[in-house]
């Protein structure tokens, strides 16, 4: 495993990490969740991602049980949760002082933990003043219930505002952002945040490296039974992905698969290795509903060295994105 500093902090996260969205509770019971987390841990993964919203809290309950059963040393782990959607009540959602504190306390109970290492604001909350959000996150850090705080899918200007408030009030600013990043979704990481890496030492824990499975090639001949887009609870996700040009992406994935095969790796390995090539990515959060998927994807680390300039250019041509000269790709 390779470990990277999370932004400018002294904390090191495995460059490949594992998250429980969709899978825990919906596709994976406690036993499968244990197998998945153990497979990841045994390969050196130290960062496990969760959220109060995942399976309405059941994902945290399952992860808590797995952590108890596995009895790994707490200091070897980096555990996160995210606060925003905590239930149906008017004050069970958003980033009010009340919900950030109540939501985090409830999440810690479900996870059976005294603290999370990383605590995210799962989305921006336009109804809560920034100072209220920054103060609430600072209270939890001061109470020792979270070590670092960050954001997910915030705009660059919202992150800048949080830093300005923190500087003015002598509070701790956000350290990391959790945006979507994959071959089909690049703008935030490659354009919008570029000045934040240097200016604030922003770390990134990126999600959906396989675009929910589109970048595995599994949707070439329709929607396979039991796959993510076949899950009844996720009809909304299927609708969203279809409305965002699914067919074009499926066709691009086929071109990418040919490139992967030409260097003896699989398409998921190519897609994940491509994310790892970006120096501004601290960790790639993987998802998997089966142990063999995870075993395959973990080998993406070895595939990074195969993505030389020529292959990177072929990948660009296959996804037909404009050239982006400002990216600092890691040397192969
Ligand atoms: P991916 O885009 O990598 O999708 C993972 C899914 O793709 C798996 O669950 C599986 O779905 C399929 N898959 C993975 N590997 C393979 C393979 N080798 N062969 C075939 N199919 C495969 O990541 P996720 O969307 O799951 O996101 C990862 C994590 O990021 C989440 O668990 C969560 O922690 C975080 N996240 C954060 C968000 C945020 O708003 N902050 C939003 C979304 C995710 P299946 O088998 O069911 O088809």
């Amino acid at each position: 495993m390779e470990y990277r500093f999370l932004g400018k902090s002294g904390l090191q996260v495995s460059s490949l990490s594992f998250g429980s969205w969709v899978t825990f509770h919906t596709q994976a019971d406690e036993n499968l969740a244990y197998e998945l987390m153990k497979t990841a841990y045994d390969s050196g993964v130290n960062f496990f991602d969760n959220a109060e919203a995942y399976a309405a809290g059941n994902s945290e309950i399952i992860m808590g049980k797995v952590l108890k059963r596995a009895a790994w040393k707490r200091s070897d782990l980096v555990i996160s949760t995210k606060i925003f959607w905590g239930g149906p009540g008017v004050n069970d959602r958003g980033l009010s002082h009340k919900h950030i504190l109540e939501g985090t306390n409830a999440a810690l109970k479900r996870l059976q933990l005294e603290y999370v290492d990383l605590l995210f604001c799962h989305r921006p909350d336009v109804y809560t003043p920034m100072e209220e959000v920054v103060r609430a996150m600072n209270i939890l850090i001061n109470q020792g219930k979270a070590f670092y705080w960050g954001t997910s899918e915030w705009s660059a200007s919202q992150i800048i505002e949080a830093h300005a408030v923190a500087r003015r009030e002598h509070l701790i600013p956000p350290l990391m952002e959790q945006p979507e990043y994959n071959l089909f979704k690049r703008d935030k990481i490659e354009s919008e945040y570029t000045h934040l890496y240097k200016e604030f030492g922003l770390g990134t824990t990126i999600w959906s490296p396989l675009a929910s499975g589109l970048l595995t090639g599994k949707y070439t001949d329709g929607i396979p039974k039991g796959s993510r887009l076949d899950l009844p609870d996720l009809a909304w996700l299927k609708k969203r992905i279809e409305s965002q040009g699914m067919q074009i992406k499926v066709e691009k994935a086929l071109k990418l698969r040919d490139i992967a095969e030409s260097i003896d790796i699989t398409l998921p390995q190519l897609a994940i290795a491509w994310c790892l090539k970006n120096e501004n990515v601290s960790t790639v959060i993987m998802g998997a509903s089966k142990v063999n998927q995870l075993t395959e994807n973990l080998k993406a680390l070895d595939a990074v060295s195969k993505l030389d300039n020529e292959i990177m250019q072929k990948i660009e041509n296959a996804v037909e994105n404009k050239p982006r000269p400002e990216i600092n790709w890691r040397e192969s």
Side-chain angles (χ1 to χ4, degrees):
M1 183 53 66
E2 173 207 10
Y3 299 88
R4 296 184 182 180
F5 285 101
L6 184 58
K8 69 172 181 194
S9 78
L11 181 73
Q12 297 194 51
V13 284
S14 47
S15 61
L16 290 178
S17 44
F18 184 63
S20 61
W21 180 53
V22 179
T23 49
F24 282 22
H25 187 70
T26 311
Q27 292 172 292
D29 61 10
E30 190 194 322
N31 286 332
L32 178 53
Y34 175 82
E35 292 305 324
L36 287 163
M37 285 181 65
K38 187 167 170 359
T39 302
Y41 179 86
D42 287 347
S43 294
V45 167
N46 72 355
F47 170 37
F48 296 94
D49 184 61
N50 216 319
E52 64 169 354
Y54 296 171
N58 286 301
S59 170
E60 290 171 325
I61 290 173
I62 289 182
M63 193 175 277
K65 286 182 182 168
V66 170
L67 293 174
K68 266 258 137 47
R69 181 163 147 194
W72 297 314
K73 215 165 99 203
R74 182 65 184 89
S75 57
D76 284 343
L77 302 170
V78 176
I79 307 289
S80 76
T81 196
K82 303 189 277 294
I83 300 298
F84 196 89
W85 296 283
V90 286
N91 285 316
D92 289 334
R93 51 173 52 218
L95 299 177
S96 67
H97 180 129
K98 180 173 167 65
H99 182 58
I100 288 179
L101 267 73
E102 289 178 345
T104 305
N105 284 326
L108 289 174
K109 274 208 186 99
R110 289 191 292 268
L111 286 162
Q112 303 185 59
L113 294 176
E114 285 172 20
Y115 61 88
V116 282
D117 302 81
L118 309 180
L119 183 62
F120 291 89
C121 297
H122 207 157
R123 287 293 180 271
D125 178 358
V126 293
Y127 300 108
T128 303
M130 190 60 81
E131 188 176 330
E132 183 173 337
V133 176
V134 179
R135 276 195 190 284
M137 296 309 263
N138 273 253
I139 287 170
L140 288 164
I141 289 177
N142 291 337
Q143 288 177 347
K145 291 180 178 171
F147 289 166
Y148 303 89
W149 79 276
T151 58
S152 180
E153 295 294 337
W154 283 29
S155 67
S157 59
Q158 287 161 332
I159 296 170
I160 290 168
E161 187 189 351
H163 273 264
V165 167
R167 199 176 308 119
R168 189 187 72 211
E169 302 297 325
H170 305 289
L171 296 168
I172 299 164
L175 169 68
M176 66 286 173
E177 213 322 297
Q178 185 168 130
E180 182 177 3
Y181 184 56
N182 55 55
L183 275 157
F184 299 141
K185 184 91 180 172
R186 304 170 60 169
D187 284 357
K188 275 195 152 71
I189 284 278
E190 294 182 11
S191 306
E192 190 178 341
Y193 296 155
T194 38
H195 55 300
L196 306 183
Y197 305 127
K198 270 213 175 99
E199 201 166 326
F200 299 140
L202 186 74
T204 61
T205 66
I206 65 103
W207 59 267
S208 284
L210 300 178
S212 268
L214 294 187
L215 283 164
T216 65
K218 72 196 298 176
Y219 293 108
T220 313
D221 301 316
I223 295 177
K225 267 222 150 331
S227 64
R228 179 175 293 187
L229 297 192
D230 183 48
L231 298 177
D233 287 357
L234 292 180
W236 62 270
L237 182 68
K238 179 170 172 260
K239 221 169 157 185
R240 185 198 284 173
I241 288 176
E242 281 174 343
S243 73
Q244 291 171 347
M246 176 165 167
Q247 203 41 44
I248 296 170
K249 289 176 184 165
V250 165
E251 282 159 25
K252 287 181 179 178
L254 283 183
K255 290 188 194 165
L256 291 165
R257 189 162 68 187
D258 288 343
I259 300 171
E261 281 171 4
S262 75
I263 48 172
D264 293 323
I265 59 174
T266 67
L267 174 54
Q269 288 163 354
L270 177 139
I272 292 171
W274 178 88
C275 295
L276 285 171
K277 284 275 288 183
N278 191 317
E279 290 200 326
N280 296 314
V281 169
S282 316
T283 181
V284 175
I285 312 178
M286 301 179 298
S289 67
K290 296 179 184 67
V291 172
N292 64 351
Q293 293 174 351
L294 192 54
T295 314
E296 176 183 352
N297 300 352
L298 282 160
K299 293 192 190 119
L301 260 184
D302 303 327
V304 177
S305 61
K306 294 190 169 183
L307 304 193
D308 58 20
N309 291 344
E310 192 191 333
I311 294 294
M312 289 296 274
Q313 191 51 54
K314 283 187 181 167
I315 292 173
E316 286 298 337
N317 296 344
V319 291
E320 291 164 28
N321 284 320
K322 285 186 230 99
R324 296 163 195 248
E326 74 275 15
I327 310 165
N328 294 323
W329 298 112
R330 287 174 173 240
E331 291 292 319
S332 280

